[in-house]
């Protein structure tokens, strides 16, 4: 089933209930990527020669933006959505109104993507302040951050749809999210991997996100990115359809 | 579509619901008329909530036909139907991150109610639920009774034509329960059609114009509370509490059974169901020396007579 404007109402509910947690969100959204940039970008960067003709911190920055968008959305549609679905009975309450399961799932995913945009904007500002974003095309990382958020929000919702408990998310974050964080070309170019490793890396959604972000940050976007966008959109659509089905099965007998 | 005032509010014919191979609802047929307060009474696991879920579009019938406001309850009608329903679920589902007032206004938004109208409705409903002084407070600071009343108020935000209450007073203390009953009664007076499930017999007797008793997925009795009591039990019940020695005294039991009543023995208690009127002192004389209590028949007697006294788990 497809979402309707009910999704926007669910989004609005998420926003209203998040407001009072906003300060802590901002601290984490800025603080964590900043630590990576400083600790790894500058610290490790002292020992790393330029990559592709740019300093290591500049190489690192777009990937950190992509990954912070991934983390924001992933936490939202796993732990937070799961709480709303189970402990708080929020989904059941909303389902008693004209909103459908598709509206609820889409509303939560778009809200997760909104948080991704917030994260992307904060990190973008910080990295720009440090002079790590050479091109004005980097502004495009804001809408790209939204797409990354919708994609990982949908993937997280699939996990939530299958999750028997909070513990289940540990598998997803360790085996899925952390793996992508390390092997999606954020910290090193994928060329260093063996051929089979590269093949696997290019199947990971985050790899495409990082690739796109780096292209915009470097000021070299182009039609060659279409394939990356297509892959991200495909993953998003499939994940959304599966997530809606799984959550519906849990809410409707 | 015919006029809401004349259309049967709920019409279920031969409704079944399976979970795997277990039948949770078995061949349920019922009709609820507009303006009625209709009860589904039964022990836990009787199929009440599943029946309610089918009516409120969160469970799909395995077979049978179900119409609400004359509309078939199918996926394509869910949105339209839910816009006219007010639903209070058994589990507390208030939004813990929102204030009392926001719980109402945000809920209104799900129905597409405008901001201004929602604010007005929230004001009225907070007064109805007697939580106006707590409007800025978070949900976890409310008492159980306040939460229940707020759930009830929230279900009224769209001015529903049919209010569905699943165990509306479960877990409440007697005072809080009575306050919720009083609110439900005031809604009844306003003419709102109400369907409620309960396993509290007193609740059903207090609130329902008509009810069905369900057990193991089936409807085993239907009628007005007073008629059900008169038909299945009678006017009065005398409970005779036998000592261990008296309990094995066959002659005594035979003597007790032969009165102007029907007798039923459950453990060490002998229930004497008196069909009509009051028992004459002469008949009571045979109870001399025994410990007993004499009281009016209730729905609970109907229920126990129909379903047996065995523990249900």
């Amino acid at each position: 089933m497809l979402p309707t404007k009910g999704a926007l109402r669910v989004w609005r509910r998420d926003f209203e209930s998040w407001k009072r947690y906003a300060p802590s969100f901002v601290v984490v959204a800025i603080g964590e990527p900043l630590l990576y940039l400083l600790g790894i970008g500058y610290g490790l960067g002292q020992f790393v020669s330029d990559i592709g003709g740019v300093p290591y911190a500049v190489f690192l920055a777009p990937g950190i933006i992509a990954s912070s968008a991934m983390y924001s959305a992933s936490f939202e549609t796993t732990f937070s959505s799961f709480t709303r679905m189970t402990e708080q009975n929020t989904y059941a309450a909303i389902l008693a109104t004209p909103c459908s399961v598709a509206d609820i799932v889409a509303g939560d995913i778009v809200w997760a993507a909104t948080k991704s945009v917030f994260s992307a904007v904060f990190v973008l500002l910080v990295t720009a302040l440090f002079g790590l974003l050479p091109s004005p095309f980097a502004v495009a990382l804001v809408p790209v951050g939204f797409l990354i958020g919708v994609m990982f929000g949908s993937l997280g919702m699939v996990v939530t749809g299958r999750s028997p408990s909070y513990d289940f998310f540990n598998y997803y974050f360790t085996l899925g999210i952390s793996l992508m964080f390390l092997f999606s070309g954020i910290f090193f170019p994928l060329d260093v991997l063996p051929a089979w490793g590269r093949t696997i890396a290019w199947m990971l959604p985050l790899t495409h996100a990082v690739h796109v972000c780096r292209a915009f940050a470097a000021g070299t976007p182009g039609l060659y990115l279409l394939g990356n966008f297509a892959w991200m959109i495909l993953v998003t659509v499939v994940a959304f359809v599966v997530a809606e089905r799984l959550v519906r099965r849990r809410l409707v007998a | 579509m015919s006029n809401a005032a004349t259309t049967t509010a709920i019409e279920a014919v031969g409704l079944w619901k399976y979970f795997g191979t277990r039948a949770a609802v078995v061949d349920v047929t019922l009709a609820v008329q507009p303006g009625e307060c209709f009860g589904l009474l039964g022990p836990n696991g009787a199929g009440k909530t599943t029946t309610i879920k089918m009516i409120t579009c969160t469970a799909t019938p395995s077979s049978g036909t179900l119409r609400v406001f004359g509309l078939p309850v199918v996926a394509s009608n869910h949105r339209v139907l839910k816009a006219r329903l007010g639903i209070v679920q058994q589990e507390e589902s208030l939004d813990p991150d929102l204030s009392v007032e926001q719980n109402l206004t945000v809920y209104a938004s799900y129905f597409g109610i405008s901001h201004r109208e929602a604010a007005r409705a929230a004001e009225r409903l907070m007064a109805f639920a007697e939580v106006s002084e707590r409007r800025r407070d978070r949900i976890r600071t409310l008492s159980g009774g306040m939460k229940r009343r707020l759930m009830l108020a929230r279900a009224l935000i769209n001015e529903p034509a049919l209010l569905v209450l699943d165990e509306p007073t479960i877990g409440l203390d007697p005072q809080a329960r009575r306050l919720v009953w009083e609110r439900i009664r005031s809604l009844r007076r306003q003419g709102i059609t109400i369907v409620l499930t309960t396993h509290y017999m007193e609740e059903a007797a207090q609130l329902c114009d008509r009810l069905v008793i369900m057990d193991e997925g089936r409807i085993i009795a239907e009628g007005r509370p007073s008629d059900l009591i008169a038909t299945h039990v009678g006017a009065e019940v005398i409970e005779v509490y036998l000592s261990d020695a008296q309990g094995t005294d066959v002659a005594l039991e035979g003597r007790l059974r032969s009165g102007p009543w029907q007798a039923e023995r459950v453990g060490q208690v002998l229930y004497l169901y008196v069909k009509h009127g009051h028992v004459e002192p002469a008949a009571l004389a045979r109870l001399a020396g025994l410990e007993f209590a004499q009281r009016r028949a209730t729905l609970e007697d109907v229920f126990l007579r129909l379903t047996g006294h065995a523990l249900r788990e």
Side-chain angles (χ1 to χ4, degrees):
Chain A
M1 288 243 292
L2 290 173
T4 64
K5 62 186 166 194
L8 290 178
R9 294 165 185 160
V10 175
W11 177 90
R12 184 68 201 260
R13 176 246 159 247
D14 289 342
F15 176 64
E16 289 296 335
S17 61
W18 170 80
K19 274 181 183 168
R20 65 201 198 96
Y21 300 111
S24 67
F25 173 81
V26 174
V27 170
V28 174
I30 295 181
E32 201 180 337
L34 193 62
L35 291 177
Y36 278 113
L37 282 172
L38 291 175
I40 298 177
Y42 285 100
L44 193 62
Q46 307 291 322
F47 303 94
V48 180
S49 59
D50 290 0
I51 295 181
V54 298
Y56 188 58
V58 174
F59 174 82
L60 195 60
I64 294 297
I65 294 173
S67 69
S68 67
M70 169 180 78
Y71 274 108
S72 288
S74 298
F75 279 118
E76 182 61 29
T77 59
T78 51
F79 292 97
S80 302
S81 289
F82 189 73
T83 301
R84 291 194 277 273
M85 182 172 70
T86 56
E87 276 175 32
Q88 293 182 193
N89 297 314
T90 310
Y91 283 8
I94 300 175
L95 201 57
T97 73
C99 295
S100 65
V101 174
D103 293 336
I104 295 168
V105 168
D108 264 16
I109 289 171
V110 174
W111 167 243
T114 307
K115 287 177 87 174
S116 294
V117 168
F118 292 162
S119 294
V121 168
F122 294 139
V123 188
L124 202 62
L125 292 174
V126 171
T127 45
L129 268 175
F130 281 85
L132 301 178
L133 293 172
S135 164
F137 275 111
V139 178
L141 265 58
V142 176
V144 170
F146 185 77
L147 174 60
I148 295 170
V150 173
M151 177 170 69
F152 283 103
S154 302
L155 287 169
M157 195 59 94
V158 171
V159 181
T160 293
R162 285 305 297 266
S163 182
S165 69
Y166 288 101
D167 292 332
F168 193 72
F169 297 127
N170 292 334
Y171 296 114
Y172 178 60
F173 276 90
T174 308
L175 304 175
I177 298 293
S178 298
L179 178 118
M180 281 192 268
F181 183 55
L182 293 172
F183 294 99
S184 291
I186 295 174
F187 297 102
F188 54 85
L190 295 175
D191 320 342
V192 306
L193 293 175
W196 62 267
R198 275 202 300 278
T199 309
I200 293 173
W202 279 108
M203 279 156 58
L204 305 175
L206 185 63
T207 306
H208 297 267
V210 171
H211 186 69
V212 166
C213 286
R214 193 165 281 143
F216 278 105
T220 58
L223 287 177
Y224 70 96
L225 295 176
L226 276 182
N228 304 105
F229 277 111
W231 180 246
M232 287 198 281
I233 290 168
L234 179 71
V235 169
T236 305
V237 170
V238 171
F240 178 80
V241 171
V242 173
E244 195 269 343
R245 203 164 280 208
L246 291 174
V247 174
R248 181 146 42 94
R249 204 183 296 170
R250 291 182 79 140
L251 295 178
V252 180
Chain B
M1 197 166 65
S2 52
N3 191 307
T6 57
T7 309
T8 305
I10 301 171
E11 199 172 9
V13 180
L15 214 52
W16 288 73
K17 179 65 183 179
Y18 280 98
F19 292 113
T21 55
R22 188 180 69 86
V25 171
V26 179
D27 196 22
V28 162
T29 296
L30 56 83
V32 177
Q33 303 306 327
E36 211 176 12
C37 183
F38 187 89
L40 291 108
L41 183 61
N44 296 326
K48 305 181 306 273
T49 297
T50 306
T51 304
I52 287 291
K53 283 190 168 173
M54 289 192 277
I55 293 166
T56 57
C57 313
T58 47
T60 317
S62 304
S63 69
T65 58
L66 177 61
R67 285 168 180 271
V68 174
F69 311 125
L71 287 175
V73 181
V74 292
S76 55
N77 283 333
H78 281 180
R79 204 175 292 273
V80 175
L81 286 173
K82 289 196 292 178
R84 299 177 63 191
L85 293 177
I87 303 167
V88 177
Q89 285 132 339
Q90 203 174 124
E91 296 82 20
E92 194 250 295
S93 65
L94 297 164
D95 228 315
D97 295 322
L98 302 176
S99 68
V100 166
E101 187 172 13
Q102 280 178 312
N103 259 281
L104 295 171
T105 53
V106 169
Y107 209 71
S109 76
Y110 301 140
F111 289 89
I113 296 169
S114 77
H115 201 72
R116 188 208 299 230
E117 215 174 308
R120 248 204 316 264
E123 202 60 49
R124 182 170 49 79
L125 290 169
M126 280 188 293
F128 169 82
E130 297 174 49
V131 291
S132 300
E133 286 79 51
R134 310 293 299 269
R135 66 177 64 220
R136 307 245 172 274
D137 293 352
R138 302 218 167 269
I139 300 307
R140 66 169 172 278
T141 68
L142 302 184
S143 70
M146 284 177 177
K147 285 182 193 171
R148 275 278 134 187
R149 298 200 304 271
L150 185 57
M151 292 265 290
L152 184 59
R154 189 178 67 171
L156 296 168
I157 200 87
N158 58 324
E159 299 185 6
L162 171 63
L163 188 61
V164 181
L165 314 172
D166 193 4
E167 299 283 355
T169 65
I170 200 163
L172 296 185
D173 60 41
Q175 287 86 351
R177 166 170 301 154
R178 267 162 184 77
L179 209 46
V180 171
W181 286 351
E182 198 278 312
R183 298 290 77 189
I184 294 173
R185 256 188 239 109
S186 87
L187 294 170
R188 231 181 83 179
R189 282 194 294 273
Q190 292 169 34
I192 298 178
T193 313
I194 301 171
V195 171
L196 65 86
T197 77
T198 183
H199 62 261
Y200 299 117
M201 312 295 153
E202 196 194 347
E203 182 160 292
Q206 289 254 350
L207 299 175
C208 298
D209 298 310
R210 212 157 55 84
L211 57 87
V212 292
I213 297 179
M214 292 186 75
D215 191 38
E216 292 173 341
R218 295 167 200 278
I219 292 177
I220 55 171
E222 177 177 357
R224 299 179 164 278
S226 54
D227 292 347
L228 284 169
I229 295 167
T231 310
H232 296 281
V233 186
E236 267 191 356
V237 180
I238 300 167
E239 296 183 10
V240 185
Y241 311 110
L242 303 168
S243 69
D244 289 347
Q246 291 162 343
T248 52
D249 186 339
V250 181
L252 172 71
E253 187 171 334
R255 209 159 59 238
L256 291 175
R257 280 179 177 271
S258 66
W261 45 57
Q262 278 188 296
E264 191 180 341
R265 171 86 182 264
V266 180
Q268 297 292 69
V269 181
L270 191 66
Y271 292 89
L272 307 175
Y273 300 111
V274 184
K275 199 76 187 169
H276 300 290
H278 195 70
V279 185
E280 297 306 318
L284 279 179
R286 77 188 72 197
L287 297 172
L290 294 166
E291 191 191 343
F292 71 94
Q294 189 177 5
R295 57 173 176 78
R296 286 173 58 89
T298 67
L299 265 184
E300 191 149 330
D301 299 309
V302 177
F303 184 75
L304 292 174
R305 288 216 79 184
L306 291 174
T307 62
H309 287 73
L311 186 61
R312 311 257 157 160
E313 274 174 334

